Amino acid sequence: MNTSGPVDQGLRLIPFRGLRYVPERVGSLAAVTSPPYDVVVRPDGLHHLESADPHNIVRLILPQADTARDRHRQAAATLDRWLAEGVIAPDPDPVLYVYEQRNDEILQRGLIGALALSPAAEGIVLPHEDVMDDVVADRAELMRTTGAHLEPLLLTYRGDGGTPTGAGAVIDRTVLREPLLATTTEDGFRHRLWAVTDPSERREIETDLARHQALIADGHHRWATYLRLQQEQTAPGPWDYGLVLLVDTARHPLQVRSIHRLLRNLPVSRALKALTGHFRVQRVEGPLPRALDVLAEAASAGNAFLLAGDGGFHLVDRPDPALLARTVRADRPDAWRTLDATVLHSALLDEVWRIPDAPEHIGYIHDTAAAVEQAERLDATAVLMHPVREEVVRDLARQGVTMPRKSTSFGPKPATGLVMRSLTLD
């Protein structure tokens, strides 16, 4: 299938009966929401969310117990209890949802629904990052045990631009109506959600999306989990679909940010010493925003990283060509070979520092300041990354080439907790 343009059998988004918090049963809708599970900075962020409201969704997506099995059972029991108590209730009919996020600078609108699953080889939904098997296994057991999709993935597609038609026209009409909910979260984003109930509007969306393919912007592990759980089923059913938010980036371009690395067992002094002869190292004056500006300038000329954790900042750039030739795979496109994430994992982590890519050794942190703070507190090394351009991500995905795991962070991400999907109600 040609993945450089419209696909023959494109996206199929179907209605579902959303599970939503009952506003009268919680302190506020904002207080029960959370960022996606992998964005929550633990333990500080976890404790903050748990204390915001006793019914915060983090108790479902990141349950706390001594063993993985107990965590998943606890999440399922909590979900069942909240449903029985009327804290969460299903909408009366299957619908598609229009979802809006807005702050003073950004407006993003998209469609939330249950998307028909398809492997990457079909060219309908394109991944761009590798995944970690242990994370997929954990998410799969959580979904099996709860029988629910608790947070939507963020997928993007590119519409035709110009005057909105199809899904874009339906979205524009829908946002003129009274929303199902409206709330403002503590990050300053205002969220609104509407139901699309008109069959003719749903057909309009269906016809339009059938012409398009999607890129996974956020949620590679959950998409891999959807596919794994689908393969376990012996008959067609709700597991053939996954909860997603679809955003047309021709109308609402996403922001692309970096995901930083926390090298838990490597002090900065040892990290710098090992770089001798492999990279150029320069000390950079703070504060953090100024150091990031230096990183951006260096990254425009080649591979560059910023190390932190000892109270200062260190620019690492100009890798030894012989090191790259020896460590970076030669059977990939140049755009992949020159990615910062590729060089970091192939040359630095695997060769120079010899650090296994396992949770006890490497943490992945979205927030830059949090990465620096944790590194300083743990006497560890934070590797701060510069973002990848969206067009590079999309072009590699269309070639079927996946980037190293946690290479990008697209946003804004949907708030977790505004709408969920039960696998037993569909």
Side-chain angles (χ1 to χ4, degrees):
M1 178 180 292
N2 178 10
T3 60
S4 62
V7 294
D8 297 329
Q9 294 179 330
L11 303 169
R12 183 175 175 230
L13 193 70
I14 68 169
F16 69 103
R17 291 180 65 194
L19 296 180
R20 296 192 292 116
Y21 281 96
V22 178
E24 296 78 15
R25 300 301 306 274
V26 297
S28 72
L29 288 177
V32 296
T33 64
S34 164
Y37 79 97
D38 58 339
V39 181
V40 176
V41 179
R42 293 182 273 187
D44 295 345
L46 182 65
H47 295 158
H48 172 71
L49 292 165
E50 286 180 332
S51 62
D53 189 284
H55 301 107
N56 189 282
I57 191 71
V58 78
R59 297 179 186 276
L60 300 183
I61 63 173
L62 289 173
Q64 300 301 294
D66 291 336
T67 67
R69 186 177 186 183
D70 287 343
R71 289 196 300 271
H72 302 139
R73 287 179 170 178
Q74 178 176 298
T78 300
L79 178 59
D80 289 344
R81 184 173 71 254
W82 290 354
L83 284 166
E85 294 173 350
V87 173
I88 292 174
D91 282 335
D93 300 301
V95 299
L96 295 177
Y97 298 89
V98 170
Y99 175 50
E100 176 187 275
Q101 296 161 274
R102 180 198 292 266
N103 65 10
D104 294 338
E105 300 175 350
I106 298 170
L107 170 64
Q108 180 171 289
R109 290 171 177 157
L111 292 164
I112 294 179
L115 185 69
L117 304 182
S118 60
E122 293 185 8
I124 298 173
V125 176
L126 305 176
H128 70 268
E129 289 184 355
D130 295 331
V131 297
M132 294 176 273
D133 287 341
D134 59 327
V135 177
V136 174
D138 180 74
R139 290 294 103 180
E141 187 57 32
L142 179 64
M143 289 185 198
R144 280 193 210 97
T145 308
T146 60
H149 294 160
L150 299 171
E151 45 188 338
L153 284 64
L154 175 59
L155 272 61
T156 74
Y157 69 100
R158 291 197 65 83
D160 302 327
T163 303
T165 59
V170 173
I171 289 173
D172 284 357
R173 293 195 298 269
T174 301
V175 298
L176 300 176
R177 305 166 188 161
E178 189 71 18
L180 294 172
L181 64 84
T183 190
T184 301
T185 45
E186 64 180 5
D187 58 4
F189 270 94
R190 301 183 292 279
H191 306 262
R192 294 196 294 173
L193 189 76
W194 295 262
V196 179
T197 58
D198 188 308
S200 65
E201 289 190 323
R202 295 216 293 255
R203 285 193 297 271
E204 199 173 344
I205 292 171
E206 179 181 358
T207 301
D208 184 17
L209 294 182
R211 303 182 298 114
H212 295 290
Q213 62 184 173
L215 175 73
I216 301 175
D218 185 70
H220 282 81
H221 288 89
R222 282 167 284 162
W223 182 259
T225 300
Y226 289 167
L227 294 174
R228 176 178 295 189
L229 294 174
Q230 180 192 36
Q231 292 169 0
E232 296 176 358
Q233 309 307 308
T234 58
W239 295 97
D240 294 323
Y241 299 84
L243 180 63
V244 305
L245 166 64
L246 273 173
V247 174
D248 177 1
T249 54
R251 302 190 69 201
H252 303 289
L254 270 64
Q255 295 180 322
V256 187
R257 295 194 172 113
S258 299
I259 303 177
H260 310 294
R261 274 60 171 167
L262 176 68
L263 310 184
R264 304 184 191 280
N265 304 312
L266 181 67
V268 173
S269 58
R270 278 176 38 205
L272 295 174
K273 183 177 180 180
L275 293 173
T276 303
H278 298 302
F279 285 78
R280 183 179 73 168
V281 179
Q282 301 178 85
R283 188 172 182 89
V284 175
E285 295 299 322
L288 178 57
R290 182 185 183 281
L292 291 173
D293 287 342
V294 174
L295 172 63
E297 183 177 353
S300 67
N303 299 118
F305 313 93
L306 196 66
L307 304 192
D310 61 352
F313 301 100
H314 309 270
L315 179 67
V316 176
D317 66 352
R318 299 188 184 180
D320 175 20
L323 173 68
L324 300 185
R326 187 172 72 251
T327 58
V328 177
R329 291 177 56 171
D331 60 345
R332 296 291 181 94
D334 286 344
W336 183 90
R337 291 173 50 81
T338 56
L339 288 170
D340 285 341
T342 298
V343 172
L344 172 65
H345 283 261
S346 299
L348 280 169
L349 296 177
D350 292 350
E351 179 73 12
V352 175
W353 291 327
R354 299 187 181 277
I355 297 176
D357 194 356
E360 60 268 27
H361 295 283
I362 303 177
Y364 294 87
I365 301 178
H366 292 71
D367 184 83
T368 309
V372 174
E373 186 276 328
Q374 288 203 38
E376 292 178 347
R377 178 162 49 86
L378 299 172
D379 189 25
T381 296
V383 182
L384 307 183
M385 312 278 287
H386 187 67
V388 182
R389 299 192 315 277
E390 181 181 354
E391 56 267 30
V392 173
V393 176
R394 194 174 294 275
D395 286 346
L396 285 172
R398 284 173 172 162
Q399 296 177 58
V401 179
T402 54
M403 300 164 64
R405 63 196 70 175
K406 301 293 184 182
S407 294
T408 60
S409 176
F410 283 86
K413 306 177 191 302
T416 298
L418 294 182
V419 61
M420 296 159 274
R421 176 177 177 244
S422 168
L423 279 301
T424 63
L425 292 176
D426 286 8

